[in-house]
Amino acid sequence: MEKRKVWFVTGASKGLGLTLVKELLAQGYNVVATSRKQADLIEAVGKHERFLPLEMDITSDDHVREVIAAAISHFGQIDVVVNNAGYSQIGTLEELTDEEAKRNFNVNVFGVLHVIRNVASHLRERQSGHIFNIASIGGLIGSFPAFGVYCATKFAVAGLTEALAVEMKPFGIHSTLVYPGYFRTDFLTQGSAQTAQNPIDAYVAAREVEKAHLHEINGNQPNDPQKAAELLIQVSQMENPPVHFLMGEDAYGMAQQKINTLVEEISKWKEYTISTGY
């Protein structure tokens, strides 16, 4: 029964999405994969009777609705949704134009909402399903110079997923918020990661962090996307899967550091915090 389930994966023409699609097909699942260009999906995966590649503009609620309807029409159902589409917008808050910031939110946040909004009624009718929202460790920790807007999009995904989990639970639908660390994909390569159109030289630390990500971390990430794909499938098979799920030893370490920092700072300012009551 598990292997006849239908997975709907966005951002599937490269990176973790592509690795997941290939592993799902290898394990016998039915897969709907979406990307900006259908040809990219076909070139990356090939043709397969259990594979439905669909072009989708994730920033268009109407187009997402049409694609989800086409997926359901083809396979008869959707069981697991993976909101994976997204990109990294690099640049300090002052540097990024209004257009650059909004574009990142349109893809990383509103794209997720479009998929959820248009697949929710189908999952509710079936009284089952699992939604994975792929955030980032940057959705838990925002202290990366030049990554403020990107982290903000992932913080938003974290917040809406926590709400989604309690909203969908009565219908038997699981929601999992995934916080990946650094995985060795093309996420930081040119064409995937976007840099500021109008950089400001004064932001020395931001330029150093940007350079490190694009030229030192890129290609040397410590985590294997194949293992991530296998792990996501394993989580989908759990009777009681987690709502918050960290992926990667680096993500675990950074999360622990954030927790310790929060505890220390909350405790330090406790007297001020509780002083506001009547």
Side-chain angles (χ1 to χ4, degrees):
M1 291 297 293
E2 279 288 331
K3 293 189 176 182
R4 286 200 289 271
K5 282 190 172 182
V6 179
W7 286 61
F8 185 94
V9 183
T10 71
S13 63
K14 56 186 177 180
L16 176 59
L18 176 59
T19 303
L20 176 61
V21 166
K22 289 181 175 180
E23 182 60 27
L24 286 167
L25 290 171
Q27 292 194 25
Y29 289 94
N30 297 315
V31 181
V32 182
T34 75
S35 184
R36 287 174 294 178
K37 296 180 180 179
Q38 185 186 50
D40 291 345
L41 292 165
I42 296 173
E43 181 180 355
V45 180
K47 295 184 178 181
H48 196 290
E49 62 180 358
R50 287 183 284 99
F51 176 56
L52 179 64
L54 296 174
E55 186 169 307
M56 186 172 79
D57 177 5
I58 202 163
T59 66
S60 168
D61 187 59
D62 289 339
H63 197 229
V64 170
R65 183 183 306 112
E66 293 172 4
V67 171
I68 288 175
I72 295 170
S73 176
H74 184 85
F75 282 120
Q77 66 195 63
I78 292 174
D79 299 288
V80 183
V81 176
V82 182
N83 280 307
N84 173 70
Y87 71 95
S88 178
Q89 176 63 66
I90 304 173
T92 68
L93 299 180
E94 181 184 357
E95 288 172 328
L96 294 181
T97 64
D98 187 58
E99 180 184 2
E100 287 174 305
K102 287 180 177 177
R103 187 189 309 125
N104 205 204
F105 270 86
N106 281 338
V107 173
N108 292 9
V109 181
F110 290 103
V112 172
L113 282 171
H114 293 158
V115 173
I116 291 170
R117 182 183 299 119
N118 289 295
V119 78
S121 61
H122 173 72
L123 298 180
R124 283 194 295 103
E125 288 172 7
R126 292 177 55 79
Q127 293 285 295
S128 68
H130 197 154
I131 299 173
F132 287 91
N133 289 335
I134 309 298
S136 163
I137 191 59
L140 184 64
I141 302 164
S143 53
F144 298 96
F147 284 84
V149 165
Y150 172 73
C151 288
T153 67
K154 295 304 183 177
F155 268 74
V157 170
L160 69 86
T161 306
E162 289 186 353
L164 181 71
V166 293
E167 291 171 355
M168 300 301 272
K169 186 176 180 179
F171 307 108
I173 301 164
H174 300 298
S175 303
T176 297
L177 169 62
V178 183
Y179 294 106
Y182 290 98
F183 279 80
R184 200 167 299 180
T185 68
D186 53 6
F187 185 71
L188 292 173
T189 59
Q190 187 175 9
S192 293
Q194 303 292 314
T195 55
Q197 296 173 8
N198 304 305
I200 299 172
D201 292 339
Y203 285 104
V204 177
R207 293 290 79 76
E208 290 176 350
V209 170
E210 176 183 316
K211 180 181 178 181
H213 278 78
L214 296 178
H215 303 293
E216 297 168 23
I217 297 174
N218 184 32
N220 295 299
Q221 297 95 325
N223 294 298
D224 182 355
Q226 177 62 35
K227 292 180 179 178
E230 294 169 3
L231 194 54
L232 288 175
I233 296 171
Q234 184 180 344
V235 172
S236 77
Q237 296 168 348
M238 295 178 180
E239 185 175 349
N240 295 299
V243 173
H244 302 87
F245 184 63
L246 293 158
M247 273 205 317
E249 186 177 354
D250 54 342
Y252 184 86
M254 285 186 278
Q256 286 294 332
Q257 186 176 14
K258 172 66 178 283
I259 292 168
N260 293 338
T261 299
L262 277 175
V263 170
E264 181 181 342
E265 199 155 19
I266 289 170
S267 300
K268 179 179 178 180
W269 298 102
K270 178 182 177 181
E271 293 305 316
Y272 288 88
T273 300
I274 65 176
S275 68
T276 58
Y278 284 104

